[in-house]
């Protein structure tokens, strides 16, 4: 069975042989971008469906059950609906910032994916400050949220943006301290070094009480950062309609929605890397 590293080298050698080194670099970048976008689309569909079904079980109800077998195609139908809906811009909105905000939040989500190691030698960029990079780039999403709320010219959107921004900034401090705890135990900011340091045991166990406390704090903090219940005050439907993206529709709304679920996947990936050895149990 061919390894991922060998497959990557084969693709690079083929590109350099047929299109030249410069064009090979461009082609490789475009290919990686397409793969990340495809991963985002699949993850968005699966995570939305999973959340609906799990919530339904917890609340003793059926959940999606009309479109497709047992509701499996419901998220696909919702995606098609969002793609076909007209994207409206309010008359009093700052049109440039209003249209720019959804793309900034998606770009931030895509950039965070860069140092995440999915398997041995299966990583977009093995940067030696991977954890610092993730923490830094994750903060960009706050700018997009505040931009969306302010540019909408809607008081409810602005209030939702301020709530969400304040919540993210506040809980980032707790999450950051939990991450620093694991960096101290590991002695490196590199994602691969952190994973390799857990070859003889997960940090959540061999780090003892400090690692367990860091894990609990990290999970609570990232749950709040991703606006999951019970930390969903930024999107309190009874008060603020939909929060900072109240005025968005169509694909612009879909980008915010997708970025939110991608961030859920990313914080889970970071938790697995820091506390559970990343891909190490499956190597």
């Amino acid at each position: 069975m061919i390894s991922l590293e060998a497959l990557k080298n084969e693709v690079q050698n083929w590109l350099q042989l047929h299109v030249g080194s410069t064009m090979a670099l461009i082609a490789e970048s475009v290919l990686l971008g397409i793969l990340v976008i495809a991963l985002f689309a699949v993850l968005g569909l699966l995570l939305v469906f999973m959340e609906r079904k799990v919530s339904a079980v917890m609340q003793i109800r059926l959940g999606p059950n009309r479109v497709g077998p047992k509701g499996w195609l419901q998220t696909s139908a919702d995606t098609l609906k969002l793609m076909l809906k007209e994207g409206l811009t309010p008359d009093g909105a700052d049109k440039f910032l209003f249209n720019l905000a959804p793309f900034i939040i998606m770009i931030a989500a895509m950039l965070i994916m860069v140092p995440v190691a999915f398997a041995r030698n299966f990583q977009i960029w093995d940067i030696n400050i991977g954890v610092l990079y993730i923490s830094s780039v994750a903060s960009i999403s706050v700018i997009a949220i505040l931009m969306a709320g302010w540019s909408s010219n809607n008081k409810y959107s602005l209030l939702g943006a301020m709530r969400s921004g304040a919540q993210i900034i506040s809980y980032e401090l707790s999450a950051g301290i939990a991450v620093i705890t694991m960096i101290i135990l590991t002695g490196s900011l590199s994602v691969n070094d952190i994973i390799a340091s857990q070859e003889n045991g997960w940090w959540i166990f061999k780090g003892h009480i400090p690692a367990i406390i860091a894990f609990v704090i990290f999970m609570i903090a990232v749950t709040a950062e991703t606006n999951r219940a019970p930390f969903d005050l930024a999107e309190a439907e009874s008060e603020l309609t939909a929060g900072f993206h109240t005025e968005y529709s169509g694909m612009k709304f879909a980008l915010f929605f997708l970025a939110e679920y991608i961030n859920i996947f990313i914080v889970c990936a970071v938790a697995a890397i820091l506390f559970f050895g990343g891909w190490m149990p499956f190597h």
Side-chain angles (χ1 to χ4, degrees), residues 4-108:
L4 292 170
E5 182 66 17
L7 180 61
K8 179 182 176 182
N9 291 335
E10 286 291 333
V11 172
Q12 288 177 338
N13 293 336
W14 186 89
L15 287 172
Q16 290 178 1
L17 181 64
H18 290 82
V19 298
S21 58
T22 304
M23 289 302 296
L25 181 61
I26 296 173
E28 185 178 355
S29 301
V30 171
L31 181 60
L32 284 172
I34 293 171
L35 290 174
V36 170
I37 292 171
L39 176 64
F40 275 23
V42 173
L43 283 175
L45 291 173
L46 290 177
L47 290 175
V48 172
F49 181 79
M50 287 171 62
E51 185 177 49
R52 285 173 168 175
K53 281 294 188 182
V54 171
S55 298
V57 172
M58 293 171 67
Q59 298 166 11
I60 317 177
R61 56 187 176 83
L62 293 177
N65 64 340
R66 298 296 180 90
V67 185
K70 297 185 179 180
W72 269 98
L73 297 178
Q74 182 63 56
T75 49
S76 300
D78 291 340
T79 302
L80 181 62
K81 179 194 73 173
L82 289 170
M83 291 175 65
L84 297 177
K85 285 185 70 173
E86 181 181 2
L88 301 175
T89 302
D91 290 335
D94 185 319
K95 293 180 172 55
F96 176 72
L97 296 180
F98 183 84
N99 293 313
L100 182 63
F103 293 98
I104 289 180
I105 201 166
M106 273 301 296
I107 290 170

Side-chain angles (χ1 to χ4, degrees), residues 131-132 135 172-186 188-189 194 214 217-218 222 270 274-275:
V131 177
L132 178 62
S135 301
E172 267 187 0
L173 297 174
S174 302
I177 292 172
V179 170
I180 289 172
T181 303
M182 308 316 297
I183 291 171
I184 292 172
L185 291 172
T186 305
S188 175
L189 288 166
I194 292 172
I217 292 174
F218 182 82
V222 296
V270 172
L274 293 176
F275 302 99

